[in-house]
Amino acid sequence: MFTLVVGIIMTVAGAWMSGVSLHDRSLRKRLLKHAVKVRGKVIRFDSRTKQDAVTVEIVTPIVEYKARDGQPFEFNLPSQLTPQPLSVGSSVTIYYEQNHPGNATESLRMWDVNIRCGICLLVLLFGLGLLLTYYQESFSGKPAATESREIPD
């Protein structure tokens, strides 16, 4: 029964995470195709404190950039632990989609999205493997891992 429950949970989670990751991947590929490179400036930092065994301050740099038409936009760089390598006024390269200037990123790399897609697909496959193991055990009447074959003399 444990195999069935874990298999269902991993299959559903893997399918959902794979869908989200593949969607992110398609958005990133679209952005790569139509990216406009601009310079932005760090205008402030949003910070929050996280307390576990150790208190950690997590800082999110907020960057303002302008689209080609001069309209200003703000973008949250990925959160970082203190100390900050950036300061207010630091210049940062931002890429935005030509027809959607509010859709921005600080990087056009694809490896992080591809790795996330791969991990999610592995979770999905592992869940499906657990489900197949469960059904094999339930139809054969004995655990799949303990099946033995007789060796002819």
Side-chain angles (χ1 to χ4, degrees):
M1 186 59 134
F2 176 77
T3 306
L4 175 64
V5 172
V6 172
I8 289 172
I9 290 171
M10 291 193 73
T11 301
V12 170
W16 178 76
M17 291 184 321
S18 295
V20 169
S21 295
L22 290 171
H23 178 70
D24 286 350
R25 187 174 188 276
S26 70
L27 289 176
R28 182 70 60 92
K29 284 182 89 171
R30 187 178 75 193
L31 184 58
L32 274 169
K33 194 174 187 179
H34 304 287
V36 176
K37 181 179 176 180
V38 294
R39 298 297 289 174
K41 287 193 188 260
V42 176
I43 57 171
R44 71 177 181 279
F45 293 93
D46 289 345
S47 66
R48 62 185 167 91
T49 303
K50 185 176 181 179
Q51 271 187 311
D52 287 328
V54 177
T55 301
V56 178
E57 183 182 11
I58 300 171
V59 179
T60 303
I62 311 300
V63 175
E64 182 179 69
Y65 64 97
K66 292 185 180 181
R68 286 186 176 163
D69 63 2
Q71 183 178 1
F73 289 91
E74 288 185 5
F75 175 72
N76 297 358
L77 286 174
S79 296
Q80 304 172 6
L81 302 177
T82 55
Q84 278 296 316
L86 297 172
S87 60
V88 172
S90 294
S91 183
V92 178
T93 300
I94 300 292
Y95 302 91
Y96 70 85
E97 192 174 347
Q98 186 173 357
N99 297 327
H100 305 282
N103 181 17
T105 185
E106 83 288 356
S107 170
L108 292 178
R109 65 182 184 269
M110 287 293 292
W111 65 266
D112 59 334
V113 178
N114 290 335
I115 288 174
R116 190 175 40 196
C117 285
I119 290 170
C120 294
L121 290 172
L122 286 174
V123 169
L124 173 65
L125 291 174
F126 186 73
L128 289 172
L130 287 174
L131 289 176
L132 288 173
T133 301
Y134 172 79
Y135 286 113
Q136 182 182 6
E137 290 174 357
S138 64
F139 288 122
S140 70
K142 50 182 147 175
T146 60
E147 284 187 24
S148 60
R149 296 183 182 161
E150 290 189 29
I151 300 173
D153 293 328

